[in-house]
Amino acid sequence: MLDLNELEQLITFADTGTLSMAAEKLHISQPTITRTMQHLEETFGVSLFARGKNKIALNDTGIKAVEQAKQLLSAAEDALKRVREFDKSLHTITVSSCAPAPLWYVLPALSSVYPDMTIASSLKEISAILEDICSGACQLGILPIDVKLDNYLSIPFLEESLSICVPASHNLAGKSSVTFSEINGFNFLLRSEIGFWDEMCRVQMPSSKFLVQTDKFAFDELIRESSLPCFTTNLADDYKNLLADRVTIPITDPEANVTYFMICHSDDKAYTDMINHIQRRLR
């Protein structure tokens, strides 16, 4: 039976060219790797080396053995990865979301219902979320649109509405509402990692420039000190105090007012029950 550790030594010998260099790279003694090469020949039942005075080199059969050894090690690593990922999936609920706000409600609910499970989440584009759902890479998907898929449920559970926030002295401060066409051309502060909202704003406001901030502290300071408008939503409770000195103006376009749908396989009754639980909490 082939030993993976011995195959790794064979590959290292092929890469380094000498037994001494292979032994040094693997942090083993030269006699040890010499015995390994001898044992591999016994296991294969053929000669793998051309031997000279104080030197060995791979023969054609040995080169073929190295090629097969690399394939076996790659297959072994892939098997380990797949088994570990499968075991992880048994203890992990993965959520792919189009925006951060729905996760503020879904993740605590999942942790409450499944206290022994690890909850993993990520922000992704709509197409990637659909791929994750259909491939089983995630158990729950959150989209800003209702998507009909065979054997999957799409359940509305949360609404989010986008507004702009401007200083009281800003030209837009006197408006009770705005449209994207009215604010197109104004430059805006923008947080990173806001999901589909980022692309949507750029599409709806092609003449605007966005000062994107990855650091929350820097973003908060710019809101306090600059006159640049920024965005907020009805779900961004954490920013109410920060935005208290600014005027909040809702955007009336349909694109700025979304209903989130949670998608899961129709067989996952536990998840549908959880979604219904979240809906009841939000009423």
Side-chain angles (χ1 to χ4, degrees):
M1 181 70 68
L2 290 170
D3 183 289
L4 295 180
N5 184 54
E6 291 185 344
L7 293 178
E8 183 181 4
Q9 292 182 43
L10 176 64
I11 294 170
T12 304
F13 168 70
D15 291 341
T16 58
T18 67
L19 290 172
S20 60
M21 291 179 66
E24 182 179 351
K25 185 173 182 179
L26 294 168
H27 305 290
I28 59 177
S29 67
Q30 186 168 332
T32 297
I33 196 170
T34 298
R35 288 193 297 270
T36 295
M37 300 303 107
Q38 293 170 345
H39 186 257
L40 280 170
E41 284 188 313
E42 294 172 2
T43 303
F44 279 108
V46 295
S47 175
L48 301 178
F49 307 97
R51 289 176 168 81
K53 187 177 181 180
N54 298 323
K55 182 180 180 181
I56 67 170
L58 292 165
N59 59 24
D60 289 344
T61 304
I63 293 172
K64 184 66 174 179
V66 171
E67 177 186 316
Q68 295 299 311
K70 289 179 178 180
Q71 293 181 19
L72 285 171
L73 285 181
S74 178
E77 290 174 0
D78 185 61
L80 287 172
K81 179 182 177 182
R82 289 177 182 273
V83 170
R84 288 167 179 166
E85 286 179 348
F86 175 77
D87 181 71
K88 182 180 178 181
S89 71
L90 298 178
H91 309 285
T92 304
I93 299 172
T94 303
V95 184
S96 295
S97 179
C98 64
L103 296 175
W104 304 339
Y105 299 87
V106 172
L107 299 187
L110 283 171
S111 296
S112 175
V113 176
Y114 303 101
D116 298 327
M117 300 286 281
T118 298
I119 313 300
S121 65
S122 59
L123 295 179
K124 294 190 176 184
E125 296 180 357
I126 293 173
S127 59
I129 295 171
L130 291 172
E131 289 178 7
D132 284 353
I133 281 289
C134 294
S135 67
C138 75
Q139 288 73 49
L140 293 171
I142 301 173
L143 296 173
I145 53 176
D146 187 10
V147 176
K148 302 300 182 184
L149 297 172
D150 291 341
N151 302 317
Y152 288 88
L153 298 175
S154 178
I155 304 173
F157 78 102
L158 188 66
E159 294 181 353
E160 186 170 25
S161 298
L162 191 66
S163 298
I164 66 169
C165 288
V166 298
S169 58
H170 197 276
N171 292 341
L172 297 171
K175 289 184 171 291
S176 59
S177 66
V178 292
T179 63
F180 280 121
S181 63
E182 290 176 309
I183 61 176
N184 183 31
F186 286 94
N187 298 331
F188 272 77
L189 292 172
L190 197 66
R191 277 299 306 270
S192 62
E193 298 183 354
I194 57 174
F196 81 100
W197 287 116
D198 185 297
E199 182 180 2
M200 190 271 290
C201 288
R202 295 176 189 274
V203 169
Q204 297 296 326
M205 303 164 61
S207 299
S208 296
K209 294 182 179 179
F210 301 94
L211 182 60
V212 180
Q213 297 297 306
T214 58
D215 182 76
K216 183 180 184 301
F217 176 79
F219 181 74
D220 292 354
E221 285 301 300
L222 284 170
I223 288 178
R224 292 188 183 96
E225 303 298 333
S226 80
S227 60
L228 286 172
C230 64
F231 295 101
T232 188
T233 79
N234 58 307
L235 301 179
D237 290 337
D238 291 349
Y239 279 93
K240 285 185 177 179
N241 291 334
L242 180 64
L243 300 173
D245 294 333
R246 288 187 168 225
V247 179
T248 299
I249 310 167
I251 304 173
T252 57
D253 300 79
E255 293 85 357
N257 299 274
V258 302
T259 298
Y260 291 111
F261 293 81
M262 189 175 293
I263 299 179
C264 65
H265 199 281
S266 55
D267 291 339
D268 293 334
K269 186 176 185 303
Y271 294 139
T272 61
D273 289 345
M274 185 209 67
I275 297 170
N276 292 330
H277 173 68
I278 294 175
Q279 288 176 313
R280 288 193 296 271
R281 289 176 58 184
L282 293 175
R283 290 193 183 112

